[in-house]
Amino acid sequence: MFEENFTAGKERVFVLNEFTRRGFLGTAAAVGGTTVVTTALGGAPAAEAAVPEAADGGACGARTSLVKVDRADRRYQDLVTRGFNGRFRGRPDVVYVVHTADQVVDAVNQAVAAGRRIAVRSGGHCFEGFVDDPAVRAVIDMSQMRQVFYDSGKRAFAVEPGATLGETYRALYLDWGVTIPAGVCPQVGVGGHVLGGGYGPLSRRDGVVADHLYAVEVVVVDASGQARKVVATSAADDPNRELWWAHTGGGGGNFGIVTRYWFRTPGATGTDPSALLPKAPTSTLRHIVTWDWSALTEEAFTRIIDNHGAWHQRNSAAGTPYASMHSVFYLNSRAAGQILLDIQTDGGLDGAETLLNDFVAAVNEGTGVAPAVQRTTEPWLRATLANKFDTGGFDRTKSKGAYLRKPWTAAQAATLYRHLSADSQVWGEVSLYSYGGKVNSVPETATATAQRDSIIKVWMSATWMDPAHDEANLAWIREIYREIFATTGGVPVPDDRTEGTFINYPDVDLTDPRWNTSGVPWYTLYYKGNYPRLQRVKARWDPRDVFRHALSVRPPG
């Protein structure tokens, strides 16, 4: 995510290398065969065990017992207001703060025995109200489970779900020089990010983060209502392999509670940790390109959109010379003042500057408008951790997504211009993320992440502060989305042009026939043909449907 700075009067000030994904809405993720090296964020190395357990009990140091917070506890408000979207505020009976997998088992058993609906929170960045649903009576807060370490027994890097992407990047890079191709916002929790498939600036080079997921430890509930821990790996002979597969893009809150992830790149051999995940870039070379709305005619805007789409159609195959290049095109509404193209690549590559310059020239060709360009080069980790996430108080939001297999049509570009250029106080955004490359080299059934033939990922949002503006903002984003995909029932139906949408951009409107008139069910938009397989995993591992929400995988039948 990228950060913007907000000042009084809704004036927005662009600060280079301090963006949020919402952010530039304005002007502007061996001992005894267990662990060899441990980066325990705030604690000692993990104990020796078949599944290494956190000896320190979490991020606070000394072993901490299961913490149970009710409404009378002074900590309650801090825990129930950690959610990203201010439109939703839950009021559960209890919040369990957990530090080990065994404590998660205990908390789940308590909640199930009491008949309390369960939700799980790690980083707290869900766009919808799945955790803050009024029906949820028990929240299991994973934020204190934050260890990152190398597990020699599995030849893989173990990451607990409460670790943020920033903490994970720092540990993997400083200790071993490696990374995972996860999201751009350091504050996002690993927990939910990985489960949805997870992508980021290195995905065109290395695939989605779930492509590097080797194993998961999951707390599941059996038909008798008893919770237990299960480890599932990608090994072909693992009897629990389908449970691993479901966690490679099947979304959060579906099958159980992940208490540990292990990452290793498929095909990686040997015991040298530094050879088991992708190497981080040498540095980050970045270009920030802006066009003022005051200079953008419909013709110029449409030409930019056409050029951008055509470039991605030419340069999104696996092995492209542009595989290390990532861009986000923030098509902000006129109220923001500008649209912005944020491009980055590995500054250590030969010809990196030329690649970025050529991309900018290709996008701007024939527009007659001269954009402003700012160039920076920074060490990779510094640049990655600088992408701070701060909504500046704009905490009410609605999001929608899509995958594009082909560029926008002329009619779609015209729709974008009409809605974004309108003289409106809605702070809306349509963001276009470079996609494809290595992502598209993986068969769509190899993981639960089914979208493997797209060139651009789309994220749309409206963001505001005042509840009185809910109706106007919701209307804006619903209408632009419906009109853009008007020929397919108001949603991005998987076909020759679009490939559905991203479960980590959850949108309950897709279940509503007022907004989805396509006749294609919401689960096909998210999972394509993988949904029946996910349902079979659900039936085996969550037979009581303990883990559920508005867009959860439904039991079969």
Side-chain angles (χ1 to χ4, degrees):
M1 298 186 180
F2 298 82
E3 177 179 53
E4 64 184 344
N5 285 359
F6 296 83
T7 58
K10 290 190 177 180
E11 223 179 301
R12 305 189 174 199
V13 180
F14 170 57
V15 180
L16 191 61
N17 285 338
E18 290 189 1
F19 310 110
T20 67
R21 183 162 72 180
R22 175 113 29 289
F24 196 85
L25 185 62
T27 302
V31 178
T34 53
T35 56
V36 176
V37 181
T38 298
T39 301
L41 301 173
E48 299 177 33
V51 176
E53 194 60 87
D56 62 9
C60 291
R63 176 174 288 279
T64 307
S65 300
L66 174 65
V67 176
K68 186 175 180 178
V69 175
D70 61 21
R71 294 175 183 170
D73 194 298
R74 70 182 66 192
R75 295 166 290 186
Y76 181 83
Q77 286 300 320
D78 281 299
L79 289 166
V80 300
T81 59
R82 287 211 305 114
F84 170 82
N85 193 343
R87 292 173 53 215
F88 309 104
R89 286 291 179 256
R91 189 166 168 77
D93 300 328
V94 61
V95 180
Y96 296 97
V97 181
V98 295
H99 310 84
T100 67
D102 286 338
Q103 289 180 13
V104 176
V105 171
D106 189 9
V108 171
N109 279 330
Q110 288 185 35
V112 171
R116 291 187 171 119
R117 173 92 166 261
I118 296 172
V120 184
R121 174 171 279 152
S122 55
H125 285 79
C126 182
F127 291 155
E128 290 283 6
F130 297 161
V131 179
D132 294 314
D133 187 326
V136 169
R137 309 314 316 153
V139 173
I140 299 178
D141 190 294
M142 313 289 287
S143 60
Q144 292 295 83
M145 296 184 65
R146 292 162 48 196
Q147 292 200 72
V148 180
F149 60 92
Y150 178 65
D151 180 348
S152 65
K154 286 186 168 55
R155 291 195 309 112
F157 294 90
V159 181
E160 292 185 330
T164 65
L165 294 179
E167 291 167 338
T168 304
Y169 293 148
R170 180 186 295 276
L172 293 176
Y173 180 68
L174 293 183
D175 288 344
W176 300 282
V178 299
T179 190
I180 51 177
V184 74
C185 174
Q187 285 86 346
V188 165
V190 168
H193 180 74
V194 174
L195 297 180
Y199 76 101
L202 298 178
S203 287
R204 281 167 54 90
R205 187 191 78 172
D206 299 319
V208 300
V209 66
D211 293 339
H212 301 264
L213 183 64
Y214 167 72
V216 285
E217 178 187 61
V218 192
V219 173
V220 297
V221 178
D222 63 23
S224 71
Q226 291 299 302
R228 62 190 174 98
K229 296 182 294 185
V230 177
V231 173
T233 76
S234 63
D237 60 351
D238 187 340
N240 301 330
R241 189 179 189 277
E242 284 295 278
L243 184 62
W244 160 83
W245 177 87
H247 287 88
T248 61
N254 280 314
F255 313 103
I257 302 175
V258 177
T259 52
R260 184 160 295 163
Y261 298 91
W262 284 271
F263 296 99
R264 188 178 76 216
T265 298
T269 60
T271 58
D272 178 2
S274 66
L276 299 179
L277 281 176
K279 293 289 187 184
T282 304
S283 61
T284 297
L285 173 64
R286 198 170 207 159
H287 287 188
I288 306 295
V289 187
T290 56
W291 292 262
D292 287 343
W293 263 112
S294 60
L296 286 176
T297 62
E298 181 171 3
E299 181 181 6
F301 178 90
T302 300
R303 182 63 183 265
I304 290 170
I305 298 302
D306 290 347
N307 289 343
H308 179 267
W311 184 94
H312 281 84
Q313 194 165 33
R314 294 192 305 268
N315 294 285
S316 293
T320 172
Y322 291 90
S324 292
M325 197 194 80
H326 174 74
S327 71
V328 189
F329 205 163
Y330 297 99
L331 304 177
N332 303 307
S333 60
R334 183 179 291 274
Q338 295 174 325
I339 61 174
L340 177 147
L341 180 61
D342 178 12
I343 322 161
Q344 64 182 73
T345 194
D346 183 345
L349 297 176
D350 289 341
E353 182 78 38
T354 298
L355 289 174
L356 265 61
N357 287 336
D358 289 350
F359 177 52
V360 173
V363 171
N364 198 58
E365 183 182 5
T367 67
V369 180
V373 182
Q374 298 185 55
R375 299 172 173 84
T376 62
T377 302
E378 288 189 287
W380 176 79
L381 184 63
R382 182 189 302 169
T384 298
L385 298 182
N387 294 325
K388 299 175 184 176
F389 185 69
D390 178 7
T391 62
F394 282 60
D395 66 345
R396 302 180 75 81
T397 185
K398 176 64 178 177
S399 297
K400 294 177 177 287
Y403 290 92
L404 303 185
R405 299 179 68 193
K406 293 181 180 179
W408 300 107
T409 65
Q412 288 173 318
T415 298
L416 285 170
Y417 181 81
R418 185 171 69 255
H419 284 271
L420 292 170
S421 67
D423 187 11
S424 168
Q425 292 305 303
V426 172
W427 296 81
E429 166 188 344
V430 177
S431 297
L432 311 180
Y433 291 79
S434 294
Y435 211 62
K438 187 64 176 291
V439 175
N440 291 351
S441 69
V442 178
E444 66 180 48
T445 59
T447 66
T449 302
Q451 286 81 6
R452 298 291 185 167
D453 190 36
S454 294
I455 60 175
I456 293 171
K457 177 175 279 191
V458 180
W459 177 61
M460 302 183 185
S461 71
T463 311
W464 64 102
M465 291 185 290
D466 190 342
H469 299 158
D470 284 3
E471 185 176 346
N473 282 272
L474 290 171
W476 183 88
I477 190 169
R478 284 169 170 162
E479 288 167 9
I480 187 174
Y481 193 74
R482 178 168 60 185
E483 290 185 31
I484 283 177
F485 300 111
T487 62
T488 52
V491 296
V493 172
D495 60 16
D496 67 326
R497 302 203 65 88
T498 54
E499 202 179 12
T501 185
F502 182 39
I503 192 58
N504 278 359
Y505 299 160
D507 175 16
V508 296
D509 288 351
L510 300 183
T511 68
D512 189 336
R514 292 177 299 172
W515 303 107
N516 178 4
T517 62
S518 68
V520 176
W522 63 268
Y523 49 79
T524 300
L525 300 175
Y526 286 118
Y527 300 118
K528 298 175 63 177
N530 283 341
Y531 188 67
R533 187 173 172 186
L534 290 168
Q535 288 187 291
R536 293 192 293 272
V537 176
K538 178 74 169 180
R540 177 181 175 189
W541 293 103
D542 186 21
R544 295 166 61 104
D545 199 20
V546 170
F547 304 101
R548 63 190 189 275
H549 52 74
L551 292 176
S552 59
V553 173
R554 307 291 194 252

Coordinates of all heavy atoms in Angstrom, one line a residue, residues 477-535:
I477 N -19.2 4.2 -6.2 CA -18.3 3.0 -6.5 C -19.2 1.9 -7.1 O -18.8 1.2 -8.0 CB -17.5 2.5 -5.3 CG1 -16.5 1.5 -5.8 CG2 -18.4 2.0 -4.2 CD1 -15.5 1.1 -4.8
R478 N -20.4 1.8 -6.6 CA -21.3 0.8 -7.2 C -21.7 1.1 -8.7 O -21.7 0.2 -9.5 CB -22.6 0.6 -6.3 CG -22.3 -0.1 -5.1 CD -23.5 0.0 -4.1 NE -23.3 -0.9 -3.0 CZ -24.0 -0.8 -1.8 NH1 -24.9 0.1 -1.6 NH2 -23.8 -1.7 -0.9
E479 N -21.9 2.3 -8.9 CA -22.3 2.7 -10.3 C -21.2 2.6 -11.3 O -21.3 2.1 -12.4 CB -22.9 4.1 -10.3 CG -24.3 4.1 -9.6 CD -24.8 5.5 -9.3 OE1 -24.1 6.5 -9.7 OE2 -25.8 5.7 -8.6
I480 N -20.0 3.0 -10.9 CA -18.9 3.0 -11.9 C -18.5 1.5 -12.1 O -18.3 1.1 -13.3 CB -17.6 3.7 -11.4 CG1 -16.5 3.8 -12.4 CG2 -17.1 3.2 -10.1 CD1 -15.3 4.6 -12.1
Y481 N -18.6 0.6 -11.1 CA -18.3 -0.8 -11.3 C -19.3 -1.4 -12.2 O -19.0 -2.1 -13.2 CB -18.3 -1.4 -9.9 CG -17.7 -2.8 -9.9 CD1 -16.3 -3.1 -10.0 CD2 -18.5 -4.0 -9.7 CE1 -15.8 -4.3 -9.9 CE2 -18.0 -5.2 -9.6 CZ -16.6 -5.4 -9.7 OH -16.1 -6.7 -9.5
R482 N -20.6 -1.2 -11.9 CA -21.7 -1.8 -12.7 C -21.6 -1.3 -14.2 O -21.8 -2.1 -15.1 CB -23.0 -1.4 -12.1 CG -24.2 -1.9 -12.9 CD -25.5 -1.8 -12.2 NE -25.8 -0.4 -11.9 CZ -26.9 -0.1 -11.1 NH1 -27.7 -1.0 -10.6 NH2 -27.1 1.2 -10.9
E483 N -21.3 0.0 -14.4 CA -21.2 0.5 -15.8 C -20.0 0.0 -16.5 O -20.1 -0.3 -17.7 CB -21.3 2.0 -15.8 CG -22.6 2.5 -15.3 CD -22.7 4.0 -15.5 OE1 -22.0 4.6 -16.4 OE2 -23.4 4.7 -14.7
I484 N -18.9 -0.1 -15.9 CA -17.7 -0.7 -16.5 C -17.9 -2.1 -17.0 O -17.5 -2.5 -18.1 CB -16.5 -0.6 -15.6 CG1 -16.0 0.9 -15.5 CG2 -15.3 -1.5 -16.1 CD1 -14.8 1.1 -14.6
F485 N -18.6 -2.9 -16.2 CA -18.8 -4.3 -16.6 C -20.3 -4.5 -17.0 O -20.9 -5.6 -16.8 CB -18.4 -5.2 -15.4 CG -17.0 -5.1 -15.0 CD1 -16.6 -4.5 -13.8 CD2 -16.0 -5.5 -15.9 CE1 -15.3 -4.4 -13.5 CE2 -14.7 -5.3 -15.6 CZ -14.3 -4.8 -14.3
A486 N -20.9 -3.5 -17.6 CA -22.3 -3.5 -18.0 C -22.6 -4.7 -19.0 O -23.7 -5.3 -18.9 CB -22.7 -2.2 -18.6
T487 N -21.7 -5.0 -19.9 CA -21.9 -6.1 -20.8 C -21.9 -7.5 -20.3 O -22.3 -8.4 -20.9 CB -20.9 -6.0 -22.0 OG1 -19.6 -6.2 -21.5 CG2 -21.0 -4.7 -22.7
T488 N -21.5 -7.6 -19.0 CA -21.4 -8.9 -18.4 C -22.2 -8.9 -17.0 O -21.8 -9.4 -16.0 CB -20.0 -9.4 -18.1 OG1 -19.2 -8.4 -17.5 CG2 -19.3 -9.7 -19.5
G489 N -23.3 -8.1 -17.0 CA -24.1 -8.1 -15.8 C -23.6 -7.3 -14.6 O -24.0 -7.6 -13.5
G490 N -22.7 -6.4 -14.9 CA -22.3 -5.5 -13.8 C -21.1 -6.1 -13.0 O -20.7 -5.4 -12.0
V491 N -20.6 -7.2 -13.4 CA -19.4 -7.8 -12.7 C -18.5 -8.4 -13.7 O -18.8 -8.7 -14.9 CB -19.9 -8.9 -11.7 CG1 -20.8 -8.4 -10.7 CG2 -20.7 -10.0 -12.5
P492 N -17.2 -8.6 -13.3 CA -16.2 -9.1 -14.2 C -16.2 -10.7 -14.4 O -15.4 -11.4 -13.9 CB -14.9 -8.7 -13.6 CG -15.2 -8.7 -12.1 CD -16.6 -8.3 -12.0
V493 N -17.2 -11.1 -15.1 CA -17.4 -12.6 -15.4 C -16.2 -13.2 -16.1 O -15.7 -12.6 -17.0 CB -18.7 -12.8 -16.2 CG1 -18.8 -14.3 -16.6 CG2 -19.9 -12.4 -15.5
P494 N -15.7 -14.3 -15.6 CA -14.6 -14.9 -16.3 C -14.9 -15.2 -17.8 O -15.8 -16.0 -18.1 CB -14.3 -16.2 -15.5 CG -14.8 -15.9 -14.2 CD -16.0 -15.0 -14.4
D495 N -14.3 -14.6 -18.7 CA -14.5 -14.8 -20.1 C -13.2 -14.4 -20.9 O -12.1 -14.4 -20.3 CB -15.7 -14.0 -20.6 CG -15.6 -12.5 -20.4 OD1 -14.5 -12.0 -20.2 OD2 -16.6 -11.8 -20.5
D496 N -13.3 -14.0 -22.1 CA -12.1 -13.7 -22.9 C -11.5 -12.4 -22.5 O -10.3 -12.1 -22.8 CB -12.3 -13.8 -24.4 CG -13.3 -12.7 -24.9 OD1 -14.2 -12.3 -24.1 OD2 -13.1 -12.2 -26.0
R497 N -12.2 -11.5 -21.8 CA -11.7 -10.2 -21.4 C -11.4 -10.1 -20.0 O -10.4 -9.3 -19.6 CB -12.7 -9.1 -21.9 CG -13.0 -9.1 -23.3 CD -13.5 -7.7 -23.7 NE -12.4 -6.7 -23.6 CZ -11.6 -6.4 -24.6 NH1 -11.6 -7.1 -25.7 NH2 -10.6 -5.5 -24.4
T498 N -12.1 -10.7 -19.1 CA -11.9 -10.5 -17.7 C -11.9 -11.9 -17.0 O -12.2 -12.9 -17.6 CB -13.1 -9.7 -17.0 OG1 -14.3 -10.3 -17.3 CG2 -13.0 -8.3 -17.5
E499 N -11.3 -12.0 -15.8 CA -11.1 -13.3 -15.2 C -11.6 -13.3 -13.7 O -11.0 -13.9 -12.8 CB -9.6 -13.6 -15.2 CG -9.3 -15.1 -15.1 CD -7.8 -15.4 -15.2 OE1 -7.0 -14.5 -15.1 OE2 -7.5 -16.6 -15.3
G500 N -12.7 -12.6 -13.5 CA -13.3 -12.6 -12.1 C -12.6 -11.6 -11.3 O -12.1 -10.6 -11.8
T501 N -12.5 -11.9 -10.0 CA -12.0 -10.9 -9.0 C -11.2 -11.6 -7.9 O -11.1 -12.8 -7.9 CB -13.1 -10.0 -8.5 OG1 -12.5 -8.9 -7.7 CG2 -14.1 -10.7 -7.7
F502 N -10.7 -10.8 -7.0 CA -9.7 -11.2 -6.0 C -10.4 -11.4 -4.6 O -11.0 -10.4 -4.1 CB -8.6 -10.2 -6.0 CG -7.4 -10.4 -5.1 CD1 -6.9 -11.7 -4.9 CD2 -6.8 -9.4 -4.4 CE1 -5.8 -11.9 -4.1 CE2 -5.7 -9.5 -3.6 CZ -5.2 -10.8 -3.4
I503 N -10.3 -12.5 -4.0 CA -11.0 -12.7 -2.7 C -10.4 -11.8 -1.6 O -11.1 -11.5 -0.7 CB -10.9 -14.2 -2.3 CG1 -11.8 -14.5 -1.1 CG2 -9.4 -14.6 -2.0 CD1 -13.3 -14.2 -1.4
N504 N -9.2 -11.3 -1.7 CA -8.7 -10.4 -0.7 C -9.2 -8.9 -1.0 O -8.9 -8.0 -0.2 CB -7.2 -10.3 -0.7 CG -6.6 -11.5 0.1 OD1 -7.3 -12.3 0.7 ND2 -5.3 -11.6 0.2
Y505 N -10.0 -8.8 -2.0 CA -10.8 -7.6 -2.2 C -12.3 -8.0 -2.1 O -13.1 -7.9 -3.0 CB -10.6 -6.9 -3.6 CG -9.2 -6.5 -3.9 CD1 -8.9 -6.3 -5.3 CD2 -8.3 -6.2 -3.0 CE1 -7.6 -5.9 -5.6 CE2 -7.0 -5.8 -3.3 CZ -6.7 -5.6 -4.6 OH -5.4 -5.2 -5.0
P506 N -12.7 -8.5 -0.9 CA -14.0 -9.0 -0.7 C -15.1 -7.9 -1.0 O -14.9 -6.8 -0.6 CB -14.1 -9.5 0.7 CG -13.0 -8.6 1.4 CD -12.0 -8.4 0.4
D507 N -16.2 -8.3 -1.6 CA -17.2 -7.4 -2.0 C -18.6 -8.1 -1.9 O -18.9 -8.9 -2.8 CB -17.0 -6.9 -3.4 CG -18.1 -6.0 -3.9 OD1 -18.9 -5.5 -3.1 OD2 -18.2 -5.8 -5.2
V508 N -19.3 -7.9 -0.8 CA -20.6 -8.6 -0.6 C -21.6 -8.2 -1.6 O -22.6 -9.0 -1.8 CB -21.1 -8.4 0.8 CG1 -20.1 -9.0 1.9 CG2 -21.4 -6.9 1.1
D509 N -21.4 -7.1 -2.3 CA -22.4 -6.8 -3.4 C -22.5 -7.9 -4.5 O -23.5 -8.0 -5.1 CB -22.0 -5.5 -4.1 CG -22.2 -4.3 -3.3 OD1 -22.8 -4.4 -2.2 OD2 -21.7 -3.2 -3.7
L510 N -21.4 -8.7 -4.6 CA -21.4 -9.7 -5.6 C -22.5 -10.8 -5.3 O -22.8 -11.6 -6.2 CB -20.1 -10.4 -5.8 CG -18.9 -9.4 -6.2 CD1 -17.6 -10.1 -6.4 CD2 -19.3 -8.6 -7.5
T511 N -23.0 -10.9 -4.1 CA -24.0 -11.8 -3.7 C -25.4 -11.3 -3.9 O -26.4 -12.0 -3.8 CB -23.9 -12.3 -2.3 OG1 -24.2 -11.2 -1.4 CG2 -22.5 -12.7 -2.0
D512 N -25.5 -10.0 -4.3 CA -26.7 -9.3 -4.4 C -27.2 -9.1 -5.8 O -26.5 -8.5 -6.6 CB -26.6 -7.9 -3.7 CG -27.9 -7.1 -3.5 OD1 -28.8 -7.4 -4.2 OD2 -27.9 -6.2 -2.6
P513 N -28.4 -9.7 -6.2 CA -28.8 -9.6 -7.6 C -29.1 -8.2 -8.0 O -29.2 -7.9 -9.2 CB -30.1 -10.4 -7.6 CG -30.5 -10.5 -6.1 CD -29.3 -10.5 -5.3
R514 N -29.2 -7.2 -7.1 CA -29.3 -5.8 -7.5 C -28.0 -5.3 -8.2 O -28.1 -4.5 -9.1 CB -29.6 -4.9 -6.4 CG -31.0 -5.1 -5.7 CD -31.1 -4.2 -4.5 NE -30.1 -4.5 -3.5 CZ -29.9 -3.8 -2.4 NH1 -30.6 -2.7 -2.2 NH2 -28.9 -4.1 -1.5
W515 N -26.9 -5.9 -7.8 CA -25.6 -5.4 -8.4 C -24.9 -6.5 -9.2 O -24.0 -6.1 -10.0 CB -24.7 -5.0 -7.2 CG -25.3 -3.9 -6.4 CD1 -25.8 -4.1 -5.1 CD2 -25.5 -2.6 -6.8 NE1 -26.3 -2.9 -4.7 CE2 -26.2 -1.9 -5.7 CE3 -25.3 -1.8 -7.9 CZ2 -26.6 -0.6 -5.7 CZ3 -25.7 -0.5 -7.9 CH2 -26.3 0.1 -6.9
N516 N -25.3 -7.7 -9.1 CA -24.8 -8.8 -9.9 C -25.9 -9.4 -10.7 O -26.7 -10.2 -10.2 CB -24.1 -9.8 -9.1 CG -23.5 -11.0 -9.9 OD1 -23.6 -11.0 -11.1 ND2 -23.0 -12.0 -9.2
T517 N -26.1 -8.9 -11.9 CA -27.2 -9.4 -12.7 C -26.7 -10.4 -13.8 O -27.4 -10.7 -14.8 CB -27.9 -8.2 -13.4 OG1 -27.0 -7.6 -14.3 CG2 -28.5 -7.3 -12.4
S518 N -25.5 -10.9 -13.6 CA -24.9 -11.8 -14.6 C -25.4 -13.2 -14.6 O -25.3 -13.9 -15.6 CB -23.4 -11.8 -14.4 OG -23.1 -12.5 -13.2
G519 N -26.0 -13.6 -13.5 CA -26.4 -15.0 -13.4 C -25.2 -15.9 -13.0 O -25.4 -17.1 -12.8
V520 N -24.1 -15.3 -12.9 CA -22.9 -16.0 -12.4 C -22.7 -15.8 -10.9 O -22.6 -14.7 -10.5 CB -21.6 -15.5 -13.2 CG1 -20.3 -16.2 -12.7 CG2 -21.8 -15.8 -14.7
P521 N -22.6 -16.9 -10.2 CA -22.6 -16.8 -8.7 C -21.2 -16.1 -8.2 O -20.2 -16.2 -8.9 CB -22.7 -18.2 -8.2 CG -22.3 -19.1 -9.3 CD -22.7 -18.3 -10.6
W522 N -21.3 -15.5 -7.1 CA -20.1 -14.8 -6.5 C -18.9 -15.7 -6.4 O -17.8 -15.3 -6.7 CB -20.5 -14.2 -5.2 CG -20.8 -15.3 -4.1 CD1 -22.0 -15.7 -3.8 CD2 -19.9 -15.9 -3.3 NE1 -22.0 -16.7 -2.8 CE2 -20.6 -16.8 -2.5 CE3 -18.5 -15.9 -3.1 CZ2 -20.1 -17.7 -1.5 CZ3 -17.9 -16.7 -2.2 CH2 -18.7 -17.6 -1.4
Y523 N -19.1 -17.0 -6.1 CA -18.0 -17.9 -5.9 C -17.3 -18.2 -7.2 O -16.1 -18.5 -7.2 CB -18.4 -19.1 -5.1 CG -19.6 -19.9 -5.7 CD1 -19.5 -20.7 -6.8 CD2 -20.9 -19.7 -5.0 CE1 -20.7 -21.4 -7.3 CE2 -22.0 -20.4 -5.5 CZ -21.9 -21.2 -6.6 OH -23.0 -21.9 -7.1
T524 N -18.0 -18.2 -8.3 CA -17.3 -18.4 -9.6 C -16.4 -17.2 -9.9 O -15.3 -17.3 -10.5 CB -18.3 -18.6 -10.7 OG1 -19.1 -19.8 -10.4 CG2 -17.6 -18.8 -12.0
L525 N -16.9 -16.0 -9.5 CA -16.1 -14.8 -9.8 C -14.7 -14.8 -9.0 O -13.7 -14.4 -9.5 CB -16.8 -13.6 -9.4 CG -18.2 -13.3 -10.1 CD1 -18.9 -12.1 -9.6 CD2 -17.9 -13.1 -11.6
Y526 N -14.8 -15.4 -7.8 CA -13.6 -15.5 -7.0 C -12.7 -16.7 -7.2 O -11.5 -16.6 -7.2 CB -14.0 -15.5 -5.5 CG -14.4 -14.1 -5.0 CD1 -15.7 -13.9 -4.5 CD2 -13.6 -13.0 -5.0 CE1 -16.1 -12.7 -4.0 CE2 -14.0 -11.8 -4.6 CZ -15.3 -11.6 -4.1 OH -15.7 -10.4 -3.6
Y527 N -13.4 -17.8 -7.5 CA -12.6 -19.1 -7.5 C -12.7 -19.9 -8.8 O -12.1 -20.9 -9.0 CB -13.1 -20.0 -6.4 CG -13.0 -19.4 -5.0 CD1 -14.1 -19.2 -4.2 CD2 -11.7 -19.1 -4.5 CE1 -14.0 -18.6 -3.0 CE2 -11.6 -18.6 -3.3 CZ -12.7 -18.3 -2.5 OH -12.6 -17.8 -1.2
K528 N -13.5 -19.4 -9.8 CA -13.6 -20.1 -11.1 C -14.0 -21.5 -10.8 O -14.8 -21.9 -10.0 CB -12.4 -19.9 -11.9 CG -12.1 -18.4 -12.3 CD -10.8 -18.2 -13.0 CE -10.8 -18.9 -14.4 NZ -9.5 -18.6 -15.1
G529 N -13.3 -22.4 -11.5 CA -13.6 -23.8 -11.4 C -13.1 -24.5 -10.2 O -13.3 -25.7 -10.0
N530 N -12.4 -23.8 -9.4 CA -11.8 -24.4 -8.1 C -12.8 -24.5 -7.0 O -12.5 -25.1 -6.0 CB -10.6 -23.6 -7.7 CG -9.3 -23.9 -8.5 OD1 -9.3 -24.9 -9.2 ND2 -8.4 -23.0 -8.5
Y531 N -13.9 -23.9 -7.1 CA -14.9 -23.8 -6.0 C -15.4 -25.2 -5.5 O -15.3 -25.5 -4.3 CB -16.0 -22.9 -6.3 CG -16.9 -22.7 -5.1 CD1 -16.4 -21.9 -4.0 CD2 -18.2 -23.1 -5.0 CE1 -17.2 -21.7 -2.9 CE2 -19.0 -22.9 -3.9 CZ -18.5 -22.2 -2.9 OH -19.3 -22.0 -1.8
P532 N -15.8 -26.1 -6.4 CA -16.2 -27.4 -5.9 C -15.1 -28.1 -5.1 O -15.4 -28.8 -4.1 CB -16.6 -28.2 -7.1 CG -17.0 -27.1 -8.1 CD -16.0 -26.0 -7.8
R533 N -13.9 -28.0 -5.5 CA -12.8 -28.6 -4.7 C -12.7 -28.0 -3.3 O -12.4 -28.7 -2.3 CB -11.5 -28.5 -5.5 CG -10.3 -29.2 -4.9 CD -9.1 -29.2 -5.9 NE -7.9 -29.7 -5.4 CZ -6.7 -29.6 -6.0 NH1 -6.6 -29.1 -7.2 NH2 -5.6 -30.1 -5.4
L534 N -12.8 -26.7 -3.3 CA -12.8 -26.0 -2.0 C -13.9 -26.5 -1.1 O -13.8 -26.6 0.1 CB -12.8 -24.5 -2.2 CG -11.6 -23.8 -2.8 CD1 -11.9 -22.4 -3.2 CD2 -10.4 -23.9 -1.8
Q535 N -15.1 -26.7 -1.7 CA -16.2 -27.2 -0.9 C -15.9 -28.6 -0.3 O -16.3 -28.9 0.8 CB -17.5 -27.2 -1.8 CG -18.1 -25.9 -2.1 CD -19.4 -26.0 -2.8 OE1 -19.4 -26.4 -4.0 NE2 -20.4 -25.7 -2.1

